[in-house]
Amino acid sequence: KRFVGITSLFSDNFDWPVGNNEAKERLGERFSSLHLDTKISASHAKPLSNADPVVVPIYHSSTYRFKTVNQFNEPNHGSNFVYRRCGNPTTENVEVVINEIEGGAGSLLYNSGLAAISAVFLEFLNSGSHLISMSPIYSGTSSFINETLKRFGVEVTFVDVEKEEDFADAVEKAIRPNTKLIYFETIANPTMAVPDVLGTLEVAKKHNIRTCIDATFSSPYSIQPLKLGADISLHSCFHQQASSSKYIGGHTDVIAGVVTVAHYEDWKKLKLQQLTAGSSLMTLLTRGLKTLALRVARISENAQKTAEYLESHPKVNHVYYPGLPSHPQHKYAKQVMKQFSGMIAFDVGTSENAINLVENLKLIIHAVSLGGTESLIEHPLSMSHGKQLLRDADGPTVAPGLLRFSVGIENVEDIIGDLKKALDQL
């Protein structure tokens, strides 16, 4: 009767402990008055007293010792540290820091961005449920919705953020009695369109519908969706074709995804699903988190100047950057973002021009993904949003001359100089 087996983890009544932030305990009331960048730097998970790894840090151990049989079932005493699939001190450290940034009830780290996105969809939608999704969105998300969710009986309505003058109103008109989730990105991948975040959240609250926001393009330092009223905030630290860390990792060498929730019960549901699906992750994202504020500030400054330069160039037809007053949804971006991050889309007219430009760049790297210290550029129609990834007919269309540019931390004069030389050759 005293033995509590691994099956106890599968009980809906089991109380999982959310990781504790050691800095809050150490600093007490002072912690709340710290600036966000200082909170990021100071925060780290406090190890549970009974977590006793078989192998010493950096916690590569796959299993953990228990001092007593009853320890497993004691609250806040090691139930996250049973087996690597259940949790890991290294992982929890990242989750604690990200949760501190987001201001949530708890965060969960996944082995890819798509794993995080699919976990949310599969947990909060079922056959007969209705999903409202923004369009355009990341190709992997679009394909999962169209190829997997629809196959399992989920009804889907896409609302085009570029075509709808009042996005929030269009979302409200799309609501059905069975609508269970509203999903949108803070900045659309790859077109950089920006939805009315505050208006859409207000609509969702009015109708008591759960919201999930993918804030990958804007970074968790520039916007914290839960503080604005969202139920779920999601960040990809991954791209389908490259080992990338996006803004959270920032060094183009980590694959991960993270979900942060406003309500503990939602965290508990996702934690149980993560355990049964085996989609957790052990990673070293903490290194990148320590410099998140510095990197995003430099990248945002570089991107603003670069976007202004591109907008003035005669061979560039259109520039889409949320920080430009000319951006169609600039007013919405200003409402929710303190910085506009580093993602720029610009159109040079034709696929031939776009391909020639990226192949003539020398400093800026021709590669998919984003958020690293180096500047990256890609032609979405040929790569991240091409037919090889975006197989569904209902997926977002991408202009043939559009380029997706992730600005890095290099000197901005060198970034602009590289673009100028390549544009001069068109």
PDB file of all heavy atoms in Angstrom, residues 38 58 60 64 80 104 108 114 238 254 307 344 347 350 353 361 393 399:
ATOM      1  N   THR A  38      17.192  42.558 -15.371  1.00  0.00           N
ATOM      2  CA  THR A  38      17.850  42.097 -14.146  1.00  0.00           C
ATOM      3  C   THR A  38      17.183  40.834 -13.618  1.00  0.00           C
ATOM      4  O   THR A  38      17.862  39.912 -13.148  1.00  0.00           O
ATOM      5  CB  THR A  38      17.808  43.196 -13.062  1.00  0.00           C
ATOM      6  OG1 THR A  38      18.389  44.386 -13.594  1.00  0.00           O
ATOM      7  CG2 THR A  38      18.585  42.764 -11.824  1.00  0.00           C
ATOM      8  N   ILE A  58      26.250  18.383 -15.541  1.00  0.00           N
ATOM      9  CA  ILE A  58      25.047  19.048 -15.984  1.00  0.00           C
ATOM     10  C   ILE A  58      23.871  18.088 -16.253  1.00  0.00           C
ATOM     11  O   ILE A  58      23.295  18.107 -17.327  1.00  0.00           O
ATOM     12  CB  ILE A  58      25.307  19.830 -17.280  1.00  0.00           C
ATOM     13  CG1 ILE A  58      26.541  19.363 -17.977  1.00  0.00           C
ATOM     14  CG2 ILE A  58      25.136  21.248 -17.177  1.00  0.00           C
ATOM     15  CD1 ILE A  58      26.910  20.068 -19.239  1.00  0.00           C
ATOM     16  N   HIS A  60      22.924  15.062 -17.009  1.00  0.00           N
ATOM     17  CA  HIS A  60      22.692  14.142 -18.120  1.00  0.00           C
ATOM     18  C   HIS A  60      22.057  12.852 -17.627  1.00  0.00           C
ATOM     19  O   HIS A  60      21.796  11.951 -18.415  1.00  0.00           O
ATOM     20  CB  HIS A  60      24.012  13.823 -18.825  1.00  0.00           C
ATOM     21  CG  HIS A  60      24.537  14.965 -19.639  1.00  0.00           C
ATOM     22  ND1 HIS A  60      23.829  15.524 -20.667  1.00  0.00           N
ATOM     23  CD2 HIS A  60      25.698  15.662 -19.568  1.00  0.00           C
ATOM     24  CE1 HIS A  60      24.525  16.509 -21.205  1.00  0.00           C
ATOM     25  NE2 HIS A  60      25.670  16.621 -20.552  1.00  0.00           N
ATOM     26  N   TYR A  64      16.795   9.091 -11.296  1.00  0.00           N
ATOM     27  CA  TYR A  64      17.155   9.740 -10.038  1.00  0.00           C
ATOM     28  C   TYR A  64      16.898   8.821  -8.844  1.00  0.00           C
ATOM     29  O   TYR A  64      15.974   8.009  -8.849  1.00  0.00           O
ATOM     30  CB  TYR A  64      16.341  11.046  -9.869  1.00  0.00           C
ATOM     31  CG  TYR A  64      16.679  12.052 -10.930  1.00  0.00           C
ATOM     32  CD1 TYR A  64      16.072  11.993 -12.182  1.00  0.00           C
ATOM     33  CD2 TYR A  64      17.621  13.035 -10.705  1.00  0.00           C
ATOM     34  CE1 TYR A  64      16.404  12.894 -13.180  1.00  0.00           C
ATOM     35  CE2 TYR A  64      17.959  13.945 -11.684  1.00  0.00           C
ATOM     36  CZ  TYR A  64      17.349  13.868 -12.924  1.00  0.00           C
ATOM     37  OH  TYR A  64      17.682  14.760 -13.903  1.00  0.00           O
ATOM     38  N   ASN A  80       8.998  15.754 -10.022  1.00  0.00           N
ATOM     39  CA  ASN A  80       9.437  16.136 -11.358  1.00  0.00           C
ATOM     40  C   ASN A  80      10.745  15.440 -11.738  1.00  0.00           C
ATOM     41  O   ASN A  80      11.117  15.417 -12.907  1.00  0.00           O
ATOM     42  CB  ASN A  80       9.647  17.653 -11.450  1.00  0.00           C
ATOM     43  CG  ASN A  80       8.350  18.388 -11.695  1.00  0.00           C
ATOM     44  OD1 ASN A  80       7.299  17.788 -11.739  1.00  0.00           O
ATOM     45  ND2 ASN A  80       8.433  19.698 -11.838  1.00  0.00           N
ATOM     46  N   GLY A 104       3.798  33.901 -15.973  1.00  0.00           N
ATOM     47  CA  GLY A 104       2.786  32.856 -16.055  1.00  0.00           C
ATOM     48  C   GLY A 104       2.673  32.012 -14.809  1.00  0.00           C
ATOM     49  O   GLY A 104       3.370  32.224 -13.808  1.00  0.00           O
ATOM     50  N   LEU A 108       6.649  25.113 -19.899  1.00  0.00           N
ATOM     51  CA  LEU A 108       7.076  23.767 -20.267  1.00  0.00           C
ATOM     52  C   LEU A 108       7.960  23.846 -21.502  1.00  0.00           C
ATOM     53  O   LEU A 108       7.613  24.511 -22.490  1.00  0.00           O
ATOM     54  CB  LEU A 108       5.863  22.869 -20.558  1.00  0.00           C
ATOM     55  CG  LEU A 108       5.011  22.471 -19.347  1.00  0.00           C
ATOM     56  CD1 LEU A 108       3.709  21.851 -19.811  1.00  0.00           C
ATOM     57  CD2 LEU A 108       5.773  21.515 -18.447  1.00  0.00           C
ATOM     58  N   LEU A 114       7.524  23.051 -33.125  1.00  0.00           N
ATOM     59  CA  LEU A 114       6.322  22.363 -33.583  1.00  0.00           C
ATOM     60  C   LEU A 114       5.789  21.397 -32.537  1.00  0.00           C
ATOM     61  O   LEU A 114       4.581  21.164 -32.446  1.00  0.00           O
ATOM     62  CB  LEU A 114       6.608  21.618 -34.894  1.00  0.00           C
ATOM     63  CG  LEU A 114       6.510  22.469 -36.160  1.00  0.00           C
ATOM     64  CD1 LEU A 114       6.875  21.652 -37.389  1.00  0.00           C
ATOM     65  CD2 LEU A 114       5.107  23.048 -36.317  1.00  0.00           C
ATOM     66  N   PHE A 238      13.214  27.055 -32.536  1.00  0.00           N
ATOM     67  CA  PHE A 238      13.575  26.014 -33.490  1.00  0.00           C
ATOM     68  C   PHE A 238      13.069  26.395 -34.868  1.00  0.00           C
ATOM     69  O   PHE A 238      12.076  27.092 -35.004  1.00  0.00           O
ATOM     70  CB  PHE A 238      12.920  24.699 -33.048  1.00  0.00           C
ATOM     71  CG  PHE A 238      12.715  23.674 -34.120  1.00  0.00           C
ATOM     72  CD1 PHE A 238      13.732  22.854 -34.505  1.00  0.00           C
ATOM     73  CD2 PHE A 238      11.475  23.533 -34.717  1.00  0.00           C
ATOM     74  CE1 PHE A 238      13.530  21.903 -35.487  1.00  0.00           C
ATOM     75  CE2 PHE A 238      11.270  22.580 -35.702  1.00  0.00           C
ATOM     76  CZ  PHE A 238      12.301  21.767 -36.084  1.00  0.00           C
ATOM     77  N   VAL A 254      20.673  25.566 -30.732  1.00  0.00           N
ATOM     78  CA  VAL A 254      19.756  24.840 -29.860  1.00  0.00           C
ATOM     79  C   VAL A 254      18.417  24.672 -30.566  1.00  0.00           C
ATOM     80  O   VAL A 254      17.941  25.594 -31.231  1.00  0.00           O
ATOM     81  CB  VAL A 254      19.534  25.590 -28.522  1.00  0.00           C
ATOM     82  CG1 VAL A 254      18.517  24.859 -27.660  1.00  0.00           C
ATOM     83  CG2 VAL A 254      20.847  25.756 -27.779  1.00  0.00           C
ATOM     84  N   ALA A 307      15.707  48.630 -41.900  1.00  0.00           N
ATOM     85  CA  ALA A 307      14.407  48.749 -42.558  1.00  0.00           C
ATOM     86  C   ALA A 307      14.241  50.134 -43.188  1.00  0.00           C
ATOM     87  O   ALA A 307      13.711  50.263 -44.298  1.00  0.00           O
ATOM     88  CB  ALA A 307      13.287  48.484 -41.552  1.00  0.00           C
ATOM     89  N   ILE A 344      12.498  41.417 -40.655  1.00  0.00           N
ATOM     90  CA  ILE A 344      12.089  42.309 -41.743  1.00  0.00           C
ATOM     91  C   ILE A 344      11.701  41.447 -42.946  1.00  0.00           C
ATOM     92  O   ILE A 344      12.378  40.461 -43.256  1.00  0.00           O
ATOM     93  CB  ILE A 344      13.231  43.258 -42.158  1.00  0.00           C
ATOM     94  CG1 ILE A 344      13.690  44.105 -40.974  1.00  0.00           C
ATOM     95  CG2 ILE A 344      12.814  44.145 -43.331  1.00  0.00           C
ATOM     96  CD1 ILE A 344      14.957  44.928 -41.274  1.00  0.00           C
ATOM     97  N   ASP A 347      10.306  43.162 -50.419  1.00  0.00           N
ATOM     98  CA  ASP A 347       9.956  42.599 -51.728  1.00  0.00           C
ATOM     99  C   ASP A 347      10.775  43.289 -52.817  1.00  0.00           C
ATOM    100  O   ASP A 347      10.753  44.514 -52.936  1.00  0.00           O
ATOM    101  CB  ASP A 347       8.456  42.808 -51.974  1.00  0.00           C
ATOM    102  CG  ASP A 347       7.925  41.943 -53.106  1.00  0.00           C
ATOM    103  OD1 ASP A 347       8.669  41.715 -54.076  1.00  0.00           O
ATOM    104  OD2 ASP A 347       6.758  41.503 -53.024  1.00  0.00           O
ATOM    105  N   THR A 350      10.561  40.097 -58.071  1.00  0.00           N
ATOM    106  CA  THR A 350      10.488  38.788 -58.717  1.00  0.00           C
ATOM    107  C   THR A 350      11.331  37.763 -57.964  1.00  0.00           C
ATOM    108  O   THR A 350      12.247  38.126 -57.211  1.00  0.00           O
ATOM    109  CB  THR A 350      10.998  38.858 -60.169  1.00  0.00           C
ATOM    110  OG1 THR A 350      12.401  39.178 -60.149  1.00  0.00           O
ATOM    111  CG2 THR A 350      10.244  39.919 -60.968  1.00  0.00           C
ATOM    112  N   ASN A 353      15.027  38.210 -58.934  1.00  0.00           N
ATOM    113  CA  ASN A 353      15.710  39.269 -58.182  1.00  0.00           C
ATOM    114  C   ASN A 353      16.029  38.815 -56.759  1.00  0.00           C
ATOM    115  O   ASN A 353      17.127  39.062 -56.234  1.00  0.00           O
ATOM    116  CB  ASN A 353      14.842  40.524 -58.128  1.00  0.00           C
ATOM    117  CG  ASN A 353      14.919  41.341 -59.395  1.00  0.00           C
ATOM    118  OD1 ASN A 353      15.787  41.123 -60.243  1.00  0.00           O
ATOM    119  ND2 ASN A 353      13.990  42.272 -59.553  1.00  0.00           N
ATOM    120  N   LEU A 361      24.979  38.278 -51.489  1.00  0.00           N
ATOM    121  CA  LEU A 361      25.350  38.759 -50.162  1.00  0.00           C
ATOM    122  C   LEU A 361      26.589  38.015 -49.657  1.00  0.00           C
ATOM    123  O   LEU A 361      26.755  36.823 -49.914  1.00  0.00           O
ATOM    124  CB  LEU A 361      24.191  38.562 -49.181  1.00  0.00           C
ATOM    125  CG  LEU A 361      22.950  39.439 -49.431  1.00  0.00           C
ATOM    126  CD1 LEU A 361      21.770  38.932 -48.626  1.00  0.00           C
ATOM    127  CD2 LEU A 361      23.244  40.905 -49.103  1.00  0.00           C
ATOM    128  N   ALA A 393      -3.079  22.781 -49.657  1.00  0.00           N
ATOM    129  CA  ALA A 393      -3.558  23.771 -50.619  1.00  0.00           C
ATOM    130  C   ALA A 393      -4.073  25.038 -49.953  1.00  0.00           C
ATOM    131  O   ALA A 393      -4.109  26.097 -50.562  1.00  0.00           O
ATOM    132  CB  ALA A 393      -4.666  23.158 -51.472  1.00  0.00           C
ATOM    133  N   ALA A 399       4.515  36.096 -51.685  1.00  0.00           N
ATOM    134  CA  ALA A 399       4.897  36.823 -52.888  1.00  0.00           C
ATOM    135  C   ALA A 399       6.232  36.310 -53.415  1.00  0.00           C
ATOM    136  O   ALA A 399       7.150  36.046 -52.632  1.00  0.00           O
ATOM    137  CB  ALA A 399       4.987  38.315 -52.585  1.00  0.00           C
TER     138      ALA A 399
END
